[in-house]
Amino acid sequence: MSETPVPPHFPEVLELFALTGRFVSAAHYGSGHINDTFVVLQDTGAARPRRYIAQRINDRIFKNVPGLMDNVRRVTAHLSAKAERQLTLIPARTGEPCARDNHGGWWRFYDFVEGAHTVDRVTSEAEAREAARAFGDFQAQLADLPGGRLHETIPNFHHTRSRFENFRRALQADTAGRAAEVKPEIDFAFSREADADVLLNLLANGEVSERVTHNDTKINNVMLDDVTHRAVAVIDLDTVMPGLPLYDFGEMMRTSASTALEDDPEPAKMTLDLRLFAVLVEGYLSSAVGDVLNATERAHLGFAGRLMAYENGLRFLTDYLQGDTYYKIKYPQHNLIRTRTQFALVRSIIAQTPAMDRILEKFRA
Ligand code: ADP
Ligand code: GN1
Ligand code: MG
């Protein structure tokens, strides 16, 4: 599977929303693994067309789309009073934050965040610092979100123990008949099993606490200004829900302090870049979230990256064993390649733990 085609019934979808201007074109957009994302151009008489982002929400993965959209509506409304720029939902004609087409697809529209872009890999220290600051501020801005607990859009999303048990079940079932060909990856997954419980135990003992977190702080989920390269908006709000700040830092570290794309076919190229790790720590702790992290959280920042690389590796391996039903893939072994490259990152982080700890020493609470 490569780019998702614009569905033939897209004109009907457009009718569900009150967009400005006359339709010009729609095309696949971005490199997310979950939703179908399209850029829509509308002629408004201005020199350049107005752009929107249209997304068909993946309801195989997000089982409660109205609940998810309720989260997105609450979060964007709360941020609109605090953040300079952010995602802006275009409500459906019904007034709801999303609409369902006659084929059962759930759609939402956002204003296109103009003058900014995303990257799939960090290209400078400044970018890494900005991403860390933006995700840290984002979390701090949500600390006083009114209206009670957000919906858990994917239950146990970062519950690494339950991710491990899913992997074990997929291995036992071996529905795609692939277990025999991935023995080294399976062995590695079992060898690191103990890591799955570390943060969960700290949570159970009250040493770290739950907050409203983003939970998918990949570098391509933050928009960077085209000119200044400053982070201008955090996007992909589908998994904003109760979580640990360490999950956010870990996901950031996995994608922003690593030396290769998550699906680089050459695992040897995937290592932790210590310099970028130090920049991320400094950027994150200098954001508004720096004031709320306790000593245990600070001490586990490096471990969090190792855990998120492991957890993503487990998830890619599980999907490979189950016959590629979760993530979008571009070729048959894509999930296996992703697994190998994530596990290479885990190994590199383990090897550099003493050096990471020396960096973290400087930031003790
Ligand atoms: P997924 O859940 O599939 O990752 P995202 O919401 O992250 O979907 O969107 C995929 C990509 O589309 C993003 O990485 C970004 O490049 C682009 N994108 C999403 N929303 C906007 C927006 N409002 N303005 C501009 N680009 C956007
Ligand atoms: C997915 O949606 P996207 O592409 O930003 C996934 C993340 C994984 C990531 C791996 C809802 O993120 O959890 O870490 O792929 N999102 C969901 O690249 O499962
Ligand atoms: Mg995304």
Side-chain angles (χ1 to χ4, degrees), residues 121-122 252-262 264 266-277 280 305 309 340-352 356:
R121 249 194 83 192
V122 157
M252 227 161 47
M253 179 175 154
R254 176 182 82 78
T255 57
S256 301
S258 48
T259 53
L261 285 172
E262 76 178 7
D264 193 302
E266 188 42 76
K269 287 197 194 142
M270 178 54 111
T271 58
L272 173 79
D273 182 324
L274 268 183
R275 198 176 42 94
L276 288 174
F277 170 72
L280 282 183
R340 288 185 177 144
T341 300
Q342 288 308 294
F343 286 171
L345 182 57
V346 176
R347 287 194 178 92
S348 171
I349 295 176
I350 293 170
Q352 298 189 78
M356 282 180 354

Side-chain angles (χ1 to χ4, degrees), residues 32-33 216 218 220-221 235-236:
H33 296 342
D216 190 4
K218 265 164 80 163
N220 64 12
N221 286 332
I235 62 168
D236 203 342

Side-chain angles (χ1 to χ4, degrees), residues 8-129:
H9 67 281
F10 197 65
E12 283 169 44
V13 174
L14 288 170
E15 284 306 311
L16 300 169
F17 295 83
L19 306 184
T20 306
R22 195 177 43 82
F23 177 71
V24 178
S25 64
H28 170 94
Y29 196 77
S31 50
H33 296 342
I34 305 296
N35 297 307
D36 295 334
T37 303
F38 306 97
V39 59
V40 179
L41 271 60
Q42 297 274 123
D43 180 13
T44 62
R48 286 171 54 182
R50 175 158 174 177
R51 296 202 283 179
Y52 292 93
I53 285 285
Q55 284 184 319
R56 182 165 48 196
I57 302 162
N58 188 331
D59 62 354
R60 276 184 302 108
I61 289 179
F62 298 107
K63 310 275 188 222
N64 175 6
V65 175
L68 179 157
M69 289 309 297
D70 190 48
N71 284 3
V72 174
R73 189 188 50 72
R74 286 175 56 194
V75 167
T76 52
H78 186 68
L79 291 178
S80 67
K82 302 196 174 210
E84 241 173 78
R85 289 176 80 187
Q86 46 125 7
L87 279 182
T88 307
L89 273 172
I90 308 295
R93 288 188 193 274
T94 57
E96 296 296 317
C98 63
R100 199 161 200 192
D101 66 27
N102 287 329
H103 302 254
W106 288 100
W107 291 87
R108 70 173 163 221
F109 279 66
Y110 286 116
D111 255 333
F112 196 97
V113 179
E114 295 288 355
H117 63 279
T118 52
V119 292
D120 290 329
R121 249 194 83 192
V122 157
T123 57
S124 68
E125 284 189 18
E127 252 173 35
R129 187 174 295 108

Side-chain angles (χ1 to χ4, degrees), residues 139 143 149-150 152 156 159 199-200 202-204 206-213 215 241-247 294 297:
Q139 197 211 295
R149 195 177 160 89
L150 289 169
E152 272 193 56
N156 293 328
H159 195 290
L199 297 188
L200 293 168
L202 291 176
L203 180 64
E207 291 176 70
V208 301
S209 32
E210 198 182 71
R211 299 197 179 82
V212 175
T213 47
N215 294 305
M241 57 183 160
L244 301 184
L246 285 170
Y247 298 146
N294 68 24
E297 287 167 320

Side-chain angles (χ1 to χ4, degrees), residues 224-262:
L224 304 165
D225 188 285
D226 291 340
V227 179
T228 64
H229 301 276
R230 300 252 316 163
V232 295
V234 165
I235 62 168
D236 203 342
L237 308 178
D238 296 336
T239 54
V240 177
M241 57 183 160
L244 301 184
L246 285 170
Y247 298 146
D248 278 1
F249 185 83
E251 263 303 304
M252 227 161 47
M253 179 175 154
R254 176 182 82 78
T255 57
S256 301
S258 48
T259 53
L261 285 172
E262 76 178 7

